[in-house]
Amino acid sequence: MEVYKYWIDIAKGIGIVLVVLAHTQSLDSSISSLIYSFHMPLFFILSGYLLKSYNKSESIKKIALHKAHRLLLPLFCYMLLIVVPMEYSACMNHKTSFFNAGWRFINVYTSQRATAFWFPFALFESILGYYLLRKFFHVRMEGVIYIYISLMLLSLGYFLDVLNIEQKYIPLGLNRILVIIPLLVFGTWYKQNEMQLPVVLVYSLAGLIALLSLFFLPSSQVDMKNGHWGIPYLSFMVACSFTLLIIGFSKIIEKIFVLREILAYLGKASLTIMFLHIVAWFVVREYIGGITGLILTLLLCCVIHFIISRIRILRYLLVGTP
């Protein structure tokens, strides 16, 4: 059994704080661009790190069922709890038609009423794509062939971005997996080489790339939900660099007890927060806004997650764990 690594949940905690910050606060465009350049790639890279080693005897169907329970079941339940009432209210107030509301429910990954709901489905289909590639090529993930495959997928993803096709016209948001699979590959590569990497050199290089990115990102917004990947290849390098810096920072925070526990809990509750933070923010901002409102939003989501995690049926349906 692998030893629990606090830094993974700490990094997730930092990531989810940035997600809520970007969705609830009026930020300067340069700060917003900076956050969007890596806050969602961070989750995909960490997911790649956490993927189990591929076993040729394990069927893709078994993997799909496991990931569907972990990701799609909570997504469907939260859609029923949040998206359906919101769409019904919009219909009753004549802001939309029942047909359009139904279409948005089916295509929740493009819905503006469910800002972060695209993430679980995108992660699910990307993980399946990742394992299908491994099963097809029958080689270890560090093989050179995966570098070529990642470059090809990235190139196709950037090409579709240039075409500027509206996300709602791309079936199942499949263009996203063209960039997400390379992020998963980077996460597995980091896990396999973590102990051999020259720490000072890696973090220095990541810091340099991140610093240089400050001069480019404000003019090239990364928006993974809508299929915009920023500057070809550079934005991918920037996302990986910032993720490495957050990982390094998280490993330092591991030694600071109080901060470690707070961020690690936020990380463990990150999927719940992903689903609930917009609704929680709508409630909280009626009374208090700004950073204080953001903190209260996170606190409210954590309280709900705590309650859910203590009730077995709710934990099964809304967290995707037994």
Side-chain angles (χ1 to χ4, degrees):
M1 182 179 292
E2 292 189 14
V3 177
Y4 171 64
K5 298 179 179 179
Y6 257 107
W7 68 262
I8 297 175
D9 282 327
I10 292 170
K12 286 183 180 180
I14 294 172
I16 201 63
V17 169
L18 292 174
V19 168
V20 178
L21 177 66
H23 287 167
T24 63
Q25 305 299 307
S26 298
L27 302 174
D28 181 79
S29 60
S30 60
I31 297 176
S32 178
S33 292
L34 180 64
I35 292 174
Y36 272 84
S37 71
F38 69 90
H39 73 328
M40 295 312 297
L42 166 68
F43 284 100
F44 291 118
I45 291 172
L46 291 174
S47 296
Y49 185 97
L50 292 170
L51 289 178
K52 295 180 180 179
S53 298
Y54 177 62
N55 185 344
K56 292 181 181 180
S57 63
E58 190 172 17
S59 69
I60 296 297
K61 180 181 178 181
K62 182 178 178 181
I63 295 172
L65 289 174
H66 172 71
K67 294 301 178 182
H69 175 218
R70 183 70 182 88
L71 296 168
L72 299 190
L73 180 60
L75 171 62
F76 181 73
C77 291
Y78 277 111
M79 285 169 63
L80 293 178
L81 290 172
I82 296 175
V83 179
V84 169
M86 291 174 71
E87 294 293 353
Y88 180 78
S89 175
C91 291
M92 290 296 97
N93 292 319
H94 306 291
K95 294 180 180 179
T96 189
S97 67
F98 280 101
F99 175 81
N100 288 333
W103 179 251
R104 278 195 297 268
F105 180 83
I106 296 171
N107 296 277
V108 69
Y109 44 82
T110 65
S111 174
Q112 296 301 318
R113 302 185 193 281
T115 305
F117 279 41
W118 66 272
F119 170 77
F121 189 83
L123 180 57
F124 171 78
E125 59 185 359
S126 298
I127 288 175
L128 286 190
Y130 167 90
Y131 279 116
L132 283 170
L133 284 174
R134 298 198 65 166
K135 189 176 185 68
F136 179 79
F137 288 103
H138 299 290
V139 294
R140 290 174 62 82
M141 207 61 201
E142 64 266 23
V144 176
I145 190 171
Y146 281 95
I147 297 176
Y148 293 138
I149 291 172
S150 295
L151 288 173
M152 289 174 60
L153 292 175
L154 281 173
S155 298
L156 184 55
Y158 285 121
F159 175 72
L160 291 176
D161 187 7
V162 171
L163 293 179
N164 200 28
I165 303 172
E166 283 191 57
Q167 193 66 40
K168 64 183 179 181
Y169 296 124
I170 300 177
L172 303 176
L174 288 173
N175 61 322
R176 295 194 190 103
I177 72 173
L178 299 173
V179 174
I180 296 173
I181 289 178
L183 291 171
L184 295 176
V185 170
F186 182 80
T188 58
W189 172 85
Y190 177 75
K191 181 178 183 178
Q192 291 162 357
N193 296 278
E194 184 178 7
M195 303 307 297
Q196 290 77 39
L197 291 173
V199 177
V200 175
L201 178 61
V202 168
Y203 289 129
S204 297
L205 182 60
L208 177 61
I209 295 174
L211 182 62
L212 291 174
S213 72
L214 297 177
F215 298 99
F216 296 97
L217 290 177
S219 62
S220 184
Q221 178 81 34
V222 175
D223 183 2
M224 296 193 73
K225 176 184 176 182
N226 294 304
H228 301 308
W229 316 122
I231 302 171
Y233 309 109
L234 176 60
S235 292
F236 182 84
M237 293 172 59
V238 168
C240 294
S241 298
F242 272 108
T243 297
L244 286 175
L245 292 177
I246 289 177
I247 288 173
F249 186 57
S250 299
K251 290 180 178 180
I252 294 173
I253 293 177
E254 269 189 317
K255 303 176 177 63
I256 307 173
F257 178 75
V258 175
L259 191 57
R260 177 189 74 189
E261 296 299 323
I262 293 173
L263 288 174
Y265 191 81
L266 286 171
K268 292 174 183 175
S270 58
L271 190 62
T272 303
I273 298 172
M274 195 86 71
F275 285 123
L276 292 178
H277 72 278
I278 294 297
V279 174
W281 169 248
F282 284 159
V283 174
V284 169
R285 74 176 182 179
E286 293 296 319
Y287 304 96
I288 188 167
I291 297 300
T292 304
L294 182 149
I295 294 172
L296 290 176
T297 297
L298 288 170
L299 182 60
L300 178 58
C301 290
C302 286
V303 170
I304 295 173
H305 178 79
F306 177 82
I307 295 171
I308 290 172
S309 64
R310 293 297 181 275
I311 302 174
R312 186 174 182 180
I313 184 63
L314 293 181
R315 185 171 68 244
Y316 181 86
L317 294 174
L318 300 177
V319 183
T321 56

